[in-house]
Amino acid sequence: MLPFHRVAADDFAAVNQRILDQLHSDVPLVENIGHYLVEAGGKRLRPLLVLLCARAAGYKGGDHIDLATIIEFIHTATLLHDDVVDTSDRRRGRLTANAKWGNAPAVLVGDFLYSRAFQMMVALRDMDIMAILSETTNTIAEGEVQQLVNAGDPEVSEDNYFTVIHKKTGALFEAACETAAVLANCSDEQRQSLKLYGRHLGLAFQLVDDALDYRGNPEELGKNVGDDLAEGKPTLPLIYTMANGTETQATLVREAIEQRSADKLTEIVEAIETCGALEYTMERARAAVNEAKDQLAFLPAGEQKTALQQLATFAVERTV
């Protein structure tokens, strides 16, 4: 268990139990797939952000457990749908739900998790939280569609890339933090600060993910290095290489994106490394983390604030 998990250990255990309780269904396949996903583990950073932000901001109640569960269900639903769209067969070192049960069950159980999240959201009876999360799920869907449109297109700009990763990843991180601030009755300024903390943290995580796709260990990552390239995703390491590498390197990357092929992965990884694309990507991630940490200044000193700072540091130091 990582240090920032230990701070919220009791609350985290309550969230895990709530997840299991809320996966109940009269349809066995729903429970089977749901439990399979829960057992896969993962860092569960989004629900953790709810727990840490709520407590750091002085929240004393218990609704943050349901809110954290809601956030995790939304995230898990997006993963189910992503794996179908990307025809992925591995996640966290195991078969994806679509590879194990088929596309239709994976999509439909994703729909179940979305709808269960909204049932729980209504039960909280907080219009601010409902507004934030309904807007967020719509934003995530837009990001997924934009990423689909961008696949195979080597002309995608850096600005376009950052718009997509904000929608795909940053939006749920910031929603986790902002809704926790709503629960804690934070001022508008404090609520905005926690929202921005989540946004910058989410961007940093996605930037590091995109760097690890060309640098990581497949066994540790739980997926194949170069998967993004095989899907034709123009991520920042590739965009930077096309803009700043040699003509040969740029052509190599461009053709791989257009052909959605990882056949020349070794040469492309070498090009990305030698032209400084991975270091540039990590520099952008470190800058995002520093911006995230700056947003925590208003919080009183304490173990939750320290944990949020540690979580931000972890974002750029991790290898998985």
Side-chain angles (χ1 to χ4, degrees):
M1 182 180 287
L2 294 163
F4 45 81
H5 277 109
R6 282 196 288 272
V7 171
D10 290 344
D11 281 347
F12 213 69
V15 170
N16 286 335
Q17 185 58 53
R18 194 64 48 87
I19 287 170
L20 294 174
D21 293 343
Q22 291 296 327
L23 281 173
H24 173 72
S25 170
D26 294 333
V27 181
L29 184 59
V30 171
E31 290 195 351
N32 290 343
I33 295 178
H35 283 272
Y36 180 77
L37 295 169
V38 170
E39 290 161 9
K43 294 178 282 292
R44 299 224 179 123
L45 297 178
R46 294 154 188 84
L48 178 63
L49 285 171
V50 174
L51 303 177
L52 291 175
C53 287
R55 293 301 195 207
Y59 181 66
K60 304 296 185 186
D63 284 345
H64 63 318
I65 303 300
D66 280 334
L67 180 56
T69 303
I70 290 164
I71 293 289
E72 181 64 6
F73 278 175
I74 292 172
H75 175 57
T76 305
T78 66
L79 296 185
L80 280 165
H81 291 167
D82 279 358
D83 287 342
V84 171
V85 170
D86 295 339
T87 62
S88 301
D89 59 7
R90 289 180 73 210
R91 183 178 287 279
R92 296 169 184 158
R94 305 199 312 168
L95 285 175
T96 55
N98 50 297
K100 190 172 176 66
W101 283 279
N103 286 343
V107 169
L108 293 173
V109 171
D111 292 343
F112 171 86
L113 292 175
Y114 267 133
S115 56
R116 178 53 50 86
F118 275 83
Q119 286 177 322
M120 295 180 69
M121 208 183 302
V122 169
L124 288 178
R125 299 181 181 276
D126 189 308
M127 285 301 295
D128 267 0
I129 288 174
M130 291 177 67
I132 292 165
L133 293 180
S134 58
E135 177 72 21
T136 298
T137 51
N138 189 258
T139 295
I140 293 168
E142 278 189 339
E144 292 294 346
V145 174
Q146 187 60 57
Q147 180 173 265
L148 192 64
V149 169
N150 288 352
D153 182 4
E155 302 300 329
V156 170
S157 68
E158 192 170 311
D159 284 347
N160 185 309
Y161 163 81
F162 273 99
T163 297
V164 169
I165 68 168
H166 168 252
K167 289 183 174 182
K168 264 191 84 258
T169 306
L172 193 56
F173 274 78
E174 71 177 44
C177 298
E178 185 181 9
T179 51
V182 171
L183 269 189
N185 289 317
C186 287
S187 68
D188 289 345
E189 292 79 8
Q190 293 170 339
R191 174 171 159 176
Q192 181 68 8
S193 290
L194 285 180
K195 176 180 178 178
L196 289 174
Y197 168 82
R199 175 182 299 181
H200 294 306
L201 182 65
L203 293 178
F205 261 89
Q206 189 59 57
L207 284 161
V208 173
D209 273 354
D210 291 345
L212 288 174
D213 199 58
Y214 297 100
R215 178 182 278 169
N217 181 317
E219 294 306 313
E220 291 181 353
L221 290 175
K223 67 171 188 173
N224 299 316
V225 172
D227 274 357
D228 286 352
L229 189 65
E231 294 162 16
K233 292 180 181 176
T235 57
L236 190 58
L238 300 179
I239 293 169
Y240 184 90
T241 302
M242 287 187 287
N244 298 278
T246 66
E247 185 175 341
T248 300
Q249 290 171 334
T251 300
L252 181 69
V253 171
R254 175 179 292 273
E255 290 177 351
I257 291 173
E258 289 175 336
Q259 295 165 11
R260 306 184 191 209
S261 170
D263 290 347
K264 296 182 179 178
L265 179 62
T266 301
E267 298 96 310
I268 289 170
V269 168
E270 183 180 352
I272 289 170
E273 287 275 13
T274 56
C275 81
L278 289 184
E279 182 53 35
Y280 174 71
T281 302
M282 292 304 298
E283 282 175 9
R284 296 300 301 266
R286 285 189 286 268
V289 160
N290 288 335
E291 289 191 56
K293 288 181 177 178
D294 287 346
Q295 301 301 323
L296 300 176
F298 79 91
L299 290 174
E303 59 179 2
Q304 286 88 7
K305 180 177 181 177
T306 299
L308 289 168
Q309 292 167 331
Q310 290 173 334
L311 178 48
T313 300
F314 170 77
V316 288
E317 292 183 350
R318 67 197 175 97
T319 56
V320 293

